Amino acid sequence: MSARIENLYLPARPTEVRRGKGWSTRFAFVLAAAGSAVGLGNVWKFPYIAGEHGGGAFVLVYLACVMLIGLPILIAEIVLGRRGGSSPIHGLRALASREGRSPNWRYLGWLGVAGTFLILSFYSVVAGWSIAYLWYAVSGQFGAAAADSAASAGALFAGLKASPATMLACHALAMAATVLVVARGIRNGLERAVRWMVPGLFVLLVALVIYAAVATGEFGRAAAFMFRPDFSALSWDAVLVALGHAFFTLSVGMTAMMAYGSHLEKKVSVAKASVAIAGLDTLVALLACLAVFPIVFANGLQTEIGPGLLFVTMPIAFGQMPGGEFAGMLFFLFLGLAALTSTISLLEPTVEHLEQRAGWNRRRAAALSGLAIWIVGIGSVLAFNLWSGFTPFGKNLFDLLDFVTANLMLPIGGLLIAIFAGWGLSRASLAEELGLGESPVFRLWRFVLRYVAVPGVVLVLVYNLL
Ligand code: PHE
């Protein structure tokens, strides 16, 4: 691991020496982990899946999944990472052997690393969309997009989807930025950027919510759509999507948080940090919906339009508001940065594994894995145009990858993490690692992990497979 990245990561590993440079270490972890959690999942994905699954009831199930399943497993994943003290696959193996468990637990690490690899391949494509939209804002295309609202804004997005070259170039830019950061470690520039990026995105979202409410007068309808549950609209399929998204949005169930946790100082409270991460993450997702849905209702758009929802609604808002080009530029810039702090956490597990296993240096590992992921991502780019007719299992490649990773790999990975932490590790190890002793909080967490999270995930998976 390069000296630079040690500034971000907190040395739990014996080889990592704290340099005392840069930002305060505890804050660094919370920022990096919150940066990983808050991303396209919150602003792009959550509104469109909430829209597709009828709003209220789906949102409620999602919130329950975050609190009762996602949060306890987030704590477990960071704990496993810190206790393993190494790259995810190696760390799990070492931890299993120390705890007298099967070395096969390392395959949980493999599942996670494979998941991060696949997610990054399509996530980077969407991050590329926000780069394209940043350009549209800078070049003043939102005004035209909003001229007759929905139709032109839809045409802007359709134009992007129809151009494999633009999408490939933007996907390449997103991957290149990720590789650069991971290869060089996190520099002071990014440290500072992250510091104002999350608050910045947050402030902008609040402003957008207010704008959408005032300009459209549809806040009430949007809020009712989001918070008035209609359980007749809820299917088991929607419950699986809500569960999968709880994992996706918290970055849990693969090895991203495990890798970050492995660099965490012992004195930092994993429980407190996790609550902060989950709280912020949820707030951002809800704000994004409250910014998007008033525009949907005011412009006669469908709530079920799918992955394009954010990219069709926002240009309408920016095109109509005074100073909208500037606001739009800021919005897509922040969105791109929020995506970047997630993509680096998606590349990190693969890079750490290659460093450790193949003995590659960080640069080489980052560059080659980045290239491989970019190539896999080409399939997701073409799913929107040249290969749109190729639909194995009834889904195009983009949707299929999203489904397999978010709705199958993440819940299965999360389940195994919960089982390993809940039953594989001794109670004493867990109590020591959490630093809460035998307190009620510790007991509650372990109970929820074992008897709520594990059966919850099993139930949803089994129902959906049957
Ligand atoms: N949590 C990120 C988001 O919501 C996506 C992500 C998933 C990042 C898994 C890392 C690991 O956008």
Side-chain angles (χ1 to χ4, degrees), residues 36-42 119 123 248-251 254 256 342 345-346:
S36 168
V38 175
L40 297 170
N42 308 61
I119 290 183
Y123 197 93
F248 186 89
T249 190
L250 294 174
S251 305
M254 299 176 309
S342 300
S345 73
L346 284 163

Side-chain angles (χ1 to χ4, degrees), residues 88-292:
I89 298 171
H90 187 260
L92 278 170
R93 185 185 186 145
L95 187 56
S97 105
R98 256 184 283 144
E99 298 275 337
R101 303 290 167 188
S102 159
N104 288 335
W105 279 105
R106 71 176 182 281
Y107 292 114
L108 166 58
W110 278 107
L111 176 74
V113 171
T116 51
F117 189 96
L118 292 176
I119 290 183
L120 185 51
S121 77
F122 72 83
Y123 197 93
S124 162
V125 172
V126 183
W129 294 350
S130 75
I131 298 176
Y133 270 65
L134 179 59
W135 168 247
Y136 295 158
V138 172
S139 58
Q141 298 188 42
F142 289 161
D148 60 1
S149 302
S152 327
L156 193 63
F157 187 62
L160 178 62
K161 280 198 301 186
S163 166
T166 314
M167 274 171 73
L168 277 178
C170 292
H171 167 44
L173 281 176
M175 271 319 297
T178 307
V179 165
L180 226 69
V181 173
V182 174
R184 296 212 188 139
I186 283 75
R187 288 169 299 169
N188 279 326
L190 191 91
E191 293 176 6
R192 270 187 240 117
V194 175
R195 240 183 233 277
W196 54 260
M197 182 219 77
V198 176
L201 183 71
F202 192 78
V203 170
L204 258 174
L205 273 176
V206 172
L208 274 170
V209 171
I210 297 173
Y211 173 81
V214 174
T216 66
E218 294 285 9
F219 184 82
R221 222 168 128 197
F225 177 71
M226 292 278 306
F227 299 117
R228 194 174 296 154
D230 166 12
F231 285 98
S232 66
L234 200 70
S235 60
W236 271 104
D237 172 52
V239 175
L240 179 65
V241 174
L243 177 72
H245 189 66
F247 286 110
F248 186 89
T249 190
L250 294 174
S251 305
V252 165
M254 299 176 309
T255 43
M257 289 295 187
M258 209 179 274
Y260 275 12
S262 74
H263 304 276
L264 184 61
E265 260 186 337
K266 289 282 183 204
K267 71 170 191 244
V268 176
S269 160
V270 174
K272 273 193 209 153
S274 301
V275 169
I277 293 163
L280 183 72
D281 188 75
T282 305
L283 204 59
V284 172
L286 295 178
L287 283 174
C289 284
L290 291 176
V292 164

